[in-house]
Amino acid sequence: MGDDAATKPSNGFVRTMRKVYHPIGFKKGYNAMLCFIFAGALFGFTLARLQYLSIDGNFRAGTAPGEWFWLGKGFRKVGITLHLATILPAALLVILQFIPIIRYKALLFHRLNGYVVVLLLLLSNVGALMVARRSFGGGFELQTGIGLLAIMTTGGALMAYINIKRLQIEEHRAWMLRTWFYAGSIITLRIIMIISTLIVSQLGGFYRAVPCEEISFIYEDSSRPGLRDDFPQCFTPNGTTNGWVAVEAKFAGDASNPVQIGTSLHTTFGAAAWLALFLHAIGVEIYLRLTPKEGERLRKISYQRQLEAGFKHPGSAGLTADRLGDADAWEPPQTREEKIVN
């Protein structure tokens, strides 16, 4: 798709929308629409989670049953506090990085804000890894999923940083988009988890081992009576396996036991994390493949700036496919035109 700024508006709606997105720097309608959808989702999700900065208040009240038993003490409380105190501000600030008018009119702010966002993201990954062992049940599939997400976002941020230091703007754009699409999978994760939880509850037969200490905490925390009646094995000699009992995952229907509700959420969270990350990783690559003109436009700008800065291999001074792989060597526009004439 070309630049729609030079084309005549076909109807009143298009004219009206251009009056909205042109002043903030967007030249193409589909770019403005996609930014509104994805940045809007991130903005809304983050605003809804700002209340969780009250760790002992709103966050504790909003955790899944049994979650606070593990996260409310020791270094894991430090971890969840670090994670929320860094990722929430980062998610708000990064939206500004994708507003074109800010890059055009306030480049210094864009650069400084970028450093702050990357630093906050890296610190949030540290916090996430600190709680991975016990967050939402701490299953091995969840631990590996959180670890992979931390690796992908850290690696993506590093690639973006290296490329911008080499003035490889189109690669910087691509890696920053990848990084935050990966991070944004936490939103899709929640949707998948809710759907999966309802399915698991309907199918039945899904169990998770839960320690009696956690079960007792859930009952006390919710002021629910009947612990001995619901889980007599916790009070029976040799009634458990090292203090752990099997609890069926049930979220809806006639099951209102908070232990079963927590079990259903813990059972599906890890799988939802993997599926969400997969969808976002594929989605951002599709977007990048569908916007080659934007990448080429930025590469021409990279070429000019690298040439002025005295870099070797202008146009490919960063981490590009033609330098690191077997892609055809990129050539500046004038060189291509000369070859066509000859």
Side-chain angles (χ1 to χ4, degrees):
M1 296 184 185
D3 189 336
D4 70 12
T7 61
K8 184 178 180 180
S10 57
N11 55 56
F13 175 76
V14 174
R15 287 194 298 271
T16 301
M17 292 309 299
R18 287 184 179 179
K19 291 179 181 179
V20 173
Y21 64 76
H22 279 174
I24 58 176
F26 287 104
K27 295 182 174 61
K28 301 172 184 177
Y30 72 94
N31 274 342
M33 178 187 67
L34 290 173
C35 182
F36 174 78
I37 292 172
F38 294 113
L42 180 62
F43 182 69
F45 181 83
T46 305
L47 283 184
R49 294 299 186 276
L50 285 178
Q51 61 178 316
Y52 287 167
L53 291 175
S54 172
I55 300 298
D56 292 304
N58 293 329
F59 177 76
R60 175 178 180 173
T63 55
E67 196 83 351
W68 190 250
F69 174 74
W70 302 105
L71 303 185
K73 55 191 175 184
F75 77 94
R76 290 192 178 91
K77 186 175 183 181
V78 175
I80 194 63
T81 302
L82 174 64
H83 177 66
L84 293 174
T86 52
I87 193 59
L88 293 177
L92 291 177
L93 291 174
V94 76
I95 295 173
L96 301 176
Q97 295 299 95
F98 295 105
I99 305 300
I101 195 65
I102 294 178
R103 298 197 300 271
Y104 302 152
K105 302 295 185 178
L107 184 58
L108 179 60
F109 171 81
H110 177 77
R111 289 173 177 171
L112 294 176
N113 190 51
Y115 286 122
V116 172
V117 166
V118 169
L119 177 60
L120 290 174
L121 176 64
L122 296 180
L123 289 174
S124 75
N125 283 343
V126 173
L129 293 174
M130 290 173 68
V131 302
R133 176 64 182 89
R134 293 300 182 184
S135 181
F136 276 95
F140 190 68
E141 80 287 352
L142 177 58
Q143 294 182 58
T144 54
I146 293 177
L148 178 62
L149 180 58
I151 291 172
M152 292 174 70
T153 52
T154 300
L158 178 62
M159 292 289 288
Y161 174 78
I162 293 173
N163 276 295
I164 200 59
K165 297 304 287 186
R166 300 293 298 174
L167 301 180
Q168 201 69 48
I169 302 172
E170 83 286 352
E171 288 295 329
H172 172 73
R173 163 188 175 260
W175 282 106
M176 285 306 295
L177 282 171
R178 288 187 179 108
T179 298
W180 282 97
F181 260 77
Y182 301 155
S185 64
I186 193 67
I187 303 173
T188 305
L189 182 160
R190 291 299 197 281
I191 300 173
I192 296 173
M193 181 183 68
I194 293 172
I195 297 173
S196 301
T197 297
L198 295 175
I199 293 174
V200 164
S201 298
Q202 289 297 318
L203 292 176
F206 291 86
Y207 290 82
R208 187 178 77 90
V210 183
C212 289
E213 289 182 334
E214 181 180 338
I215 295 173
S216 178
F217 174 84
I218 293 172
Y219 273 73
E220 291 177 6
D221 197 47
S222 60
S223 300
R224 180 185 176 89
L227 173 60
R228 285 181 174 271
D229 294 332
D230 294 338
F231 295 95
Q233 59 270 53
C234 287
F235 302 92
T236 303
N238 300 320
T240 67
T241 303
N242 295 325
W244 293 66
V245 297
V247 179
E248 186 175 12
K250 284 189 177 181
F251 185 79
D254 58 356
S256 58
N257 189 308
V259 181
Q260 291 182 307
I261 293 174
T263 296
S264 65
L265 296 172
H266 295 165
T267 300
T268 58
F269 192 87
W274 277 96
L275 182 55
L277 182 55
F278 171 79
L279 292 175
H280 278 240
I282 295 296
V284 69
E285 295 304 324
I286 292 175
Y287 173 75
L288 290 173
R289 296 301 183 276
L290 292 178
T291 55
K293 288 187 177 181
E294 180 65 10
E296 183 65 15
R297 181 185 73 84
L298 292 175
R299 190 156 194 178
K300 292 174 184 177
I301 297 175
S302 299
Y303 168 77
Q304 291 294 336
R305 294 186 180 179
Q306 290 170 353
L307 191 65
E308 294 169 0
F311 282 111
K312 294 181 179 179
H313 312 292
S316 302
L319 303 178
T320 59
D322 57 339
R323 288 194 63 196
L324 302 178
D326 62 355
D328 294 334
W330 186 83
E331 297 177 345
Q334 61 268 30
T335 304
R336 299 177 196 168
E337 294 172 1
E338 291 173 0
K339 287 188 175 182
I340 293 174
V341 172
N342 294 334

